[in-house]
Amino acid sequence: MLDMIKEDCFIIRSIPSAACMDFFDFALSCYHQLSQEEFEFFAILVWRIWFHRNQWVKLKVNVPPQDVYEWAKAFLDDFRGTVSVKWKRPPPGCYKINSDASTAYSSNMVGIGVIIRNEQGLVMAAYSCQIDAGLIVASAEAMAILSSIQFAWEVGLLPVVVESDSKQVVDLLNGVGCSRTELGLLLNKILCHPSRNLIKSFSFIPRVSNAAAHALSRLALELEKRSVWLEKVPDSINQIVLAECHGSLMYSAAVRVRGADIFLACCIASTNSFLFIPAKGNVLKSKGPYIMPSESDKWGWEHVTVFGGFDRGTGTKRWKCNHCNLRYNGSYSRVRAHLLGFTGVGVKSCPAIDRSLREAFQILEEERLAGKKKRIPGSAKPGKRIRTPRPSLTLKTIPKEDVDDMIARFVYADGLNVNVINSPYFHEMVKAIAASGPGYELPSTEKLCDSLLSKEKGKIEKFLASVRVSWPHIGCTILCVGSLDGTLGCFHISIFVSSPRGLIFLKALDIDSDEAENLFTSVLSDVIVEVGPTNVLQIISHLGHACKSSESLVFSKFPHIFWSPCTSHSIHMLMEEIAGIEWVKPVVSCAKGIEQNMMYYQHASPCLFTHLKESSDSLSVKFAPSYSSVQRIVDLKQALQEAVVSEEFKQLKLNMPGDNEIVESAILGDDFWCKAHLFLQLCEPFVRLLATFDIEKSVMGAVYDWQVQALEAVRSNGIDTTVLNQLQVLIENRWDALFSPLHAAGYILNPSYFGKGQNKDKTVMRGWRATLERYECDGAVRRILREQLSSYWRLDGSFGEEDAVDCRDKMEPVAWWENFGFETPHLQTLAIKVLSQVSSVSTCREIWRDNDFPCREAINRLGVERVEDLIFVRNNLRLHNQRSGHSSSSSSQRNLSLSYQSGLKSWDGVHVDETMAIVSVHDKL
């Protein structure tokens, strides 16, 4: 311990010490050679080291020395001077953010707490989350500040002033001192945040003045998930918030502790036996709190600070919890009840203690009671009632195998999807039932369908309100996806709204009447009005030709809204149209014929041609099935040529269906293989570059850059000029029909694509013109947009600044425009809205694929309104799962849907067949 103190405490490194010097001699040497303020810090540091020594011995919790050092510094800053806990209001028109971080060293987790209040002191929003990262104290506090301003940005509570109890981080943010590498990265993210101009100040406040945020950060370690409260806080910290705002908590630390008094505290902390110093002038003479030496068997005293009563020989004392800062009067039984979560003794359960720490406390308490009984056997008088702590419920233990059997029986008997076992909601439910105990009674079906459903819907709507506030600034996209019910002959259509703040589900409908077309148009119009016509930039539909008439009807009502094809489907169609070039068609047809014949041959000889069944390249299967088919045949060229000349094949081909002579001559000849290689050279760059960007999450313009790069790669392959011209003409003629003009606008406005000659590309400029004509009906405003685009290309004003040029490919496109596009406000608004949109309905594919609509019996029993609420709650909870990184489907099952199998088609691969079926049903309707 001595080496640790000397290593971390720079003020005592110069004090000589012999190898044989014990701690008492070392402390005495420090007492004589250090100043009063230095020795005060030394005393606090020694006490903290001893506290964490006990944490290690009893709980096996290890703490980095740097955290011990920084905690002691912060504690002494709070200890000196009188500090009022009263919360100070922000300037008029501003909100105040208080943030804090707490670290659970046993689990390497960091809990973050954020509370935002207005100038009247009313809570506008609160937030807590848990981060799995081993951060030092300063980095954890910086992460809390970064999370707080991101949260304020998301809920639209700006401008703000930010308060933190980490003086080191606040000083660095205000330009005082320098930072370490890990901390510096976090500080740069804070200072480069898009909301930086709306942050008025970063201020330091003492730890005791930040009690509400601290309690939230401790609560985050217990909740284990991201939690948001709008216009309220958790009940467990409501009292702390009220006390802060009204100044009812006062922390008196106006004590200037004398060196001799703190020296005694050092001596107390340094001994293995717990000493008690009588109050005859030797104790710490202060009006503020001091740390009471622990009684030998009462571990709880180590977690509270005693203010009085101990030296009067009474069991009742005034004490404050070191975890939540709440104060109580009472004996050790109340301390124990507060820390263990017991009720009925006049104290509340500590809100800042997480589950793992409380379990550790329970172990200590059981050891204390066991030791007490061992020391005094049979001491209780006959007939005297002995009060014991509330016993934990002891139930008959059921073997895990039996429990697994019961769960499986429940899933099988009720026809549930087995993937429900992976749902985090299922895990939460099981844990909650176990924690509630054997007396828990399940809710009735009426309650599930009524009050509980309404309650859950209300929670979801409050969360979605924080997403809606961003739509006027960044715009949004309405996604319409549908599936065909072959048994009923109707559409199931789901409508989502997508924006960078999150994907939300709005409503679903069945179309099975003669008024199908008008019904969908009417519902879609109502959705646009609900979202806000000025907030909607585009609609992406995945309904095929059935929505063409709806497109024209919606356009007549809302002429500024784009009706965009799904990018995933458009890429699929483009690749198949390349495979439809006149000289390519026979190659693809022949490859499929060869595949069919070899499948028949493989049935007779299973050991051969195993690769004909599947392809490891899921991208080519999904977006270019014809290319994938030809590629599989080319890879097996040698094996195929050897097979067709074998005697076994000659015998089998007599019974094979189809024209086997053509297949055989194609395999043995050169013409098919030459054209197949040429076709692969033509398509390979397109397929290969699909892996370089995420279609589902890509911004507008990325798909245009994909085809530009692919064409450049094709040219570099030395393809014949005639073939290359055929490809370019095909793409140019079909691009406008397959892709939205917003892709061209995104390609122009994305700063990472700056200077790629967009103004000389006919397709790009044609798309830009179409974008302007749809987006803005006023010719004067369109002229301003064109002029401002020219300023952007010429690098006028802020566009030519060194930071703007340097950050083009280092910042998110939207963040770049928010920082550097302020001199061209019209173009800035358009760029932010265009670059904030998705281009594919694939973002909601899991919800759409698993969206089983309730049967008509359920609708008749529950009513239409209840069924709509049920679908609304279910789909938004699933989307929340996706945002949290969970999924009810295993990764292997998701990969299975992308891999090629005989008789099995991928999600996008079935779209063409499904579209034809939809058209057929639409014609009937």
Side-chain angles (χ1 to χ4, degrees), residues 570-745:
S570 295
I571 290 177
H572 170 86
M573 296 298 293
L574 178 64
M575 297 306 298
E576 288 305 286
E577 291 200 15
I578 293 175
I581 296 176
E582 195 63 32
W583 64 269
V584 177
K585 277 183 182 180
V587 176
V588 175
S589 177
C590 186
K592 291 180 179 179
I594 293 173
E595 189 171 21
Q596 290 176 357
N597 276 266
M598 291 305 105
M599 282 293 194
Y600 184 88
Y601 182 75
Q602 185 195 26
H603 182 71
S605 302
C607 59
L608 297 178
F609 307 123
T610 55
H611 293 287
L612 279 174
K613 283 191 174 181
E614 58 182 26
S615 171
S616 59
D617 186 1
S618 59
L619 276 173
S620 63
V621 171
K622 182 176 181 180
F623 294 106
S626 296
Y627 166 86
S628 180
S629 179
V630 175
Q631 179 69 61
R632 285 194 299 273
I633 298 301
V634 170
D635 290 342
L636 292 172
K637 177 181 178 180
Q638 183 176 353
L640 289 171
Q641 289 179 336
E642 292 174 356
V644 296
V645 296
S646 67
E647 292 298 327
E648 187 178 4
F649 180 82
K650 292 178 180 178
Q651 294 296 324
L652 286 172
K653 73 177 181 179
L654 299 176
N655 299 321
M656 286 184 184
D659 195 344
N660 301 312
E661 297 299 329
I662 296 178
V663 170
E664 186 177 355
S665 61
I667 293 175
L668 296 176
D670 294 330
D671 186 64
F672 167 76
W673 299 111
C674 291
K675 291 183 178 179
H677 279 292
L678 182 59
F679 170 64
L680 294 181
Q681 282 185 302
L682 209 61
C683 293
E684 186 273 335
F686 290 90
V687 176
R688 174 172 45 83
L689 289 171
L690 280 175
T692 62
F693 76 102
D694 189 341
I695 296 174
E696 298 175 11
K697 299 178 182 179
S698 63
V699 297
M700 285 293 180
V703 69
Y704 199 92
D705 185 63
W706 161 75
Q707 69 97 351
V708 170
Q709 291 188 52
L711 283 175
E712 289 295 330
V714 171
R715 292 190 189 96
S716 64
N717 285 341
I719 300 294
D720 181 74
T721 305
T722 304
V723 175
L724 183 60
N725 289 338
Q726 282 183 310
L727 178 63
Q728 289 177 310
V729 169
L730 171 66
I731 292 177
E732 185 175 342
N733 291 340
R734 296 294 296 149
W735 189 267
D736 291 346
L738 292 174
F739 295 92
S740 169
L742 290 174
H743 288 291

Side-chain angles (χ1 to χ4, degrees), residues 117-285:
R117 288 170 277 197
N118 63 10
E119 56 189 283
Q120 284 81 36
L122 299 177
V123 175
M124 304 305 295
Y127 164 80
S128 70
C129 71
Q130 192 178 106
I131 300 174
D132 186 5
L135 299 176
I136 62 173
V137 172
S139 296
E141 295 287 353
M143 179 64 73
I145 294 176
L146 178 61
S147 299
S148 70
I149 61 177
Q150 179 63 30
F151 175 59
W153 173 255
E154 289 178 355
V155 297
L157 297 177
L158 298 166
V160 295
V161 293
V162 181
E163 287 186 345
S164 171
D165 56 19
S166 174
K167 192 171 188 303
Q168 177 187 3
V169 174
V170 171
D171 285 346
L172 289 171
L173 289 172
N174 290 326
V176 180
C178 59
S179 65
R180 295 182 295 275
T181 302
E182 179 185 61
L183 181 58
L185 293 175
L186 292 171
L187 296 177
N188 288 335
K189 288 185 178 181
I190 294 172
L191 296 174
C192 295
H193 195 270
S195 63
R196 179 64 183 91
N197 294 333
L198 298 174
I199 302 175
K200 301 301 182 182
S201 64
F202 296 99
S203 304
F204 165 74
I205 54 170
R207 181 168 303 176
V208 292
S209 299
N210 204 30
H214 178 71
L216 272 173
S217 68
R218 298 296 303 179
L219 184 62
L221 294 173
E222 186 172 353
L223 293 177
E224 298 182 354
K225 66 178 182 179
R226 186 180 188 268
S227 301
V228 175
W229 298 269
L230 297 178
E231 298 184 355
K232 66 176 183 179
V233 293
D235 294 338
S236 58
I237 71 164
N238 194 46
Q239 182 181 359
I240 300 175
V241 174
L242 292 175
E244 276 190 343
C245 293
H246 295 89
S248 60
L249 290 176
M250 294 294 295
Y251 186 94
S252 177
V255 186
R256 292 290 179 250
V257 185
R258 295 180 307 170
D261 296 334
I262 294 191
F263 173 64
L264 289 174
C266 295
C267 296
I268 293 171
S270 67
T271 181
N272 287 331
S273 60
F274 296 95
L275 302 179
F276 172 66
I277 309 299
K280 293 184 179 179
N282 294 340
V283 298
L284 299 180
K285 295 179 180 177

Side-chain angles (χ1 to χ4, degrees), residues 482-493 509-513 516 519 853-854 856 914 917-918 920-922 924-925:
S483 59
L484 179 65
D485 189 326
T487 59
L488 298 178
C490 65
F491 298 123
H492 296 316
I493 297 179
L509 66 152
D510 276 348
I511 298 181
D512 58 355
S513 66
L519 176 61
F853 280 67
R856 297 187 183 278
E914 185 181 80
I918 290 175
S920 176
V921 174
H922 179 263
K924 294 179 182 178
L925 294 176

Side-chain angles (χ1 to χ4, degrees), residues 858-870:
I859 296 175
N860 294 333
R861 183 175 68 254
L862 299 177
V864 175
E865 184 177 354
R866 292 285 169 79
V867 170
E868 289 178 351
D869 290 346
L870 177 61

